[in-house]
Amino acid sequence: MPKSAVKRFGILTSGGDCPGLNAAIRGVAKAASGVFGMEIVGISNGYRGLIEGDAHELSPEDFSGILTRGGTILGSSREKPFKGRDDGTVSDAEVGQDKPELIKETVERLRLDALVVLGGNGTNTTAHLLSKEGLNVIGLPKTIDNDIWGTDVTFGFHSAVDIATESIDRLHSTAHSHNRVMVIELMGHKAGWLALYAGIAGGGDVILIPEIPYEAASVARDIEKRRSEGKAFSIVVVAEGALSKEEAMLPKKERKRAREKMPYPSIGYRVAAEIQAATGMETRVTVLGYLQRGGTPSPYDRVLATTFGTAAAELLARGRFGRMVAMKDACVSSVPLSEVADKTKTIPLDHHMLDTARLVGACFGDEH
Ligand code: F6P
């Protein structure tokens, strides 16, 4: 058996779940235990399990047969152990619970040489803070949002693109039958990757993303132009983080407040109301929601998650801590967690896929 710097480690999944988490757990575990002989402790419900000491040893039966299973066998939570401690607000320590200290105690009690954390931006930022506290941590990038800095792609993203694309395809036929405008709102948090990919893959006529603030009049003009050319239906793909030009000009806090006061359940409904008011066309809304996060991972994500998982096992064996596994220019590599922390990877305005979308006639709501 090859030598390994780590004999025993803990693994957890944190933040919103996504397809591919189990495939990644399996990848880490099979390589770590099968190739390097490491012992693995599964931590329940993300960082909360570390705080509460909720953990159990994983045996090969636990990580066998889970490649295709959606969700996470470990459970997840949005627990942020450093919230309040480092952001200037009241610290947990002040109210009697220092969560990072509790985590360190659990790591010691469970005799863990290292931690492997599977998560998004928040999870990897916490991983960096735990590294700064002296723990050996390796991060893996998961999220349907594809918004993690330092990696070209995250697992979960392409499964969500597949689900969103199939939904757009289905909306196309009913939009066509009824000569309607169909608005579909997709997730993505503050990034437009999911809407852009699914918008291109599904042939969306309008794609609204946070990176390009939109004007309702521009969207309406595009839809009317299509109607005047004999296309009496339109598909409008809206990222949940999309915002109007007016909103984009507001300071962050005011923008948040304005959004909270918006008389619509979500941005998709507002865009639909704007279109209907400006064009008089019958407009319907679909908010795809958590369907984008559920179910079995696509073959692409199974491969990516397995690749990332096994790469994490190799980092453990070599004792290369404080890093997140990443894909860069089609090569598996890793980046320091310190570089990933507190950043978001949004779509650069010179990204080739924005050109691709425009060249096939998609409107981003920014044309005059
Ligand atoms: O980060 C993944 C994500 O699904 C985002 O796309 C979405 O904004 C958010 O999580 C929803 O979070 P929650 O599960 O807390 O409702």
Side-chain angles (χ1 to χ4, degrees):
M1 207 161 256
K3 267 180 82 174
S4 171
V6 166
K7 300 274 172 273
R8 184 177 161 89
F9 70 93
I11 184 165
L12 63 84
T13 53
S14 170
D17 71 346
C18 73
L21 279 169
N22 287 326
I25 294 169
R26 172 181 172 272
V28 179
K30 283 208 171 213
S33 122
V35 179
F36 298 106
M38 297 179 217
E39 291 170 4
I40 309 168
V41 176
I43 316 285
S44 305
N45 305 321
Y47 289 114
R48 188 177 302 154
L50 272 182
I51 294 162
E52 294 172 355
D54 186 359
H56 60 284
E57 238 170 75
L58 297 182
S59 61
E61 298 79 65
D62 292 316
F63 44 84
S64 172
I66 61 169
L67 173 66
T68 63
R69 208 192 294 173
T72 159
I73 58 162
L74 297 173
S76 191
S77 69
R78 290 208 182 269
E79 176 70 56
K80 288 184 177 156
F82 288 88
K83 194 169 180 353
R85 183 160 124 162
D86 290 352
D87 63 6
T89 59
V90 178
S91 79
D92 285 332
E94 281 173 71
V95 292
Q97 204 193 24
D98 189 334
K99 291 177 178 174
E101 276 312 312
L102 291 174
I103 287 179
K104 284 197 264 180
E105 279 168 33
T106 303
V107 167
E108 209 178 302
R109 188 172 53 76
L110 295 174
R111 296 176 289 105
L112 304 177
D113 304 324
L115 290 172
V116 173
V117 304
L118 284 61
N121 284 323
T123 303
N124 283 293
T125 298
T126 300
H128 167 58
L129 296 173
L130 289 174
S131 294
K132 285 209 312 189
E133 295 280 322
L135 298 184
N136 298 327
V137 193
I138 289 169
L140 259 83
K142 71 87 212 170
T143 166
I144 65 162
D145 303 337
N146 195 34
D147 62 349
I148 303 183
W149 193 92
T151 185
D152 294 340
V153 65
T154 59
F155 62 85
F157 172 62
H158 278 284
S159 302
V161 170
D162 291 357
I163 296 161
T165 303
E166 194 203 325
S167 308
I168 295 172
D169 291 348
R170 289 176 185 276
L171 287 176
H172 246 117
S173 58
T174 172
H176 192 265
S177 308
H178 287 268
N179 291 333
R180 281 174 174 160
V181 177
M182 286 293 187
V183 173
I184 178 164
E185 181 185 307
L186 300 179
M187 282 185 169
H189 204 223
K190 294 195 173 122
W193 295 105
L194 190 46
L196 180 62
Y197 269 68
I200 292 175
D205 306 301
V206 176
I207 303 173
L208 303 182
I209 54 176
E211 292 84 349
I212 305 179
Y214 76 92
E215 247 176 324
S218 165
V219 174
R221 261 197 311 276
D222 185 77
I223 290 170
E224 275 173 339
K225 182 167 167 281
R226 279 176 50 80
R227 182 165 54 177
S228 71
E229 289 165 351
K231 290 174 178 161
F233 73 94
S234 284
I235 302 290
V236 180
V237 181
V238 181
E240 65 179 350
L243 69 172
S244 67
K245 285 199 170 162
E246 299 79 52
E247 284 174 304
M249 282 186 313
L250 295 174
K252 235 176 160 183
K253 268 195 184 153
E254 264 183 61
R255 192 191 305 161
K256 200 167 165 230
R257 229 174 290 135
R259 213 19 108 78
E260 279 160 9
K261 284 201 198 131
M262 177 175 82
Y264 301 98
S266 65
I267 183 69
Y269 286 91
R270 188 181 82 192
V271 169
E274 288 167 343
I275 292 171
Q276 185 147 335
T279 65
M281 287 177 74
E282 211 178 2
T283 306
R284 295 284 191 268
V285 187
T286 302
V287 178
L288 205 51
Y290 295 93
L291 289 172
Q292 294 159 99
R293 284 195 354 209
T296 188
S298 66
Y300 179 95
D301 272 334
R302 294 178 200 182
V303 173
L304 185 66
T306 304
T307 306
F308 279 177
T310 53
E314 285 183 319
L315 288 180
L316 284 172
R318 284 197 231 118
R320 297 195 71 204
F321 306 122
R323 305 187 73 80
M324 184 190 77
V325 178
M327 185 69 80
K328 272 283 165 204
D329 304 322
C331 290
V332 185
S333 60
S334 65
V335 285
L337 283 167
S338 56
E339 287 180 22
V340 177
D342 292 319
K343 295 195 187 112
T344 302
K345 182 189 72 182
T346 52
I347 304 172
L349 289 179
D350 60 356
H351 196 278
H352 66 94
M353 283 188 53
L354 295 173
D355 297 334
T356 303
R358 287 192 201 274
L359 286 167
V360 289
C363 161
F364 287 98
D366 60 340
E367 290 91 1
H368 297 292

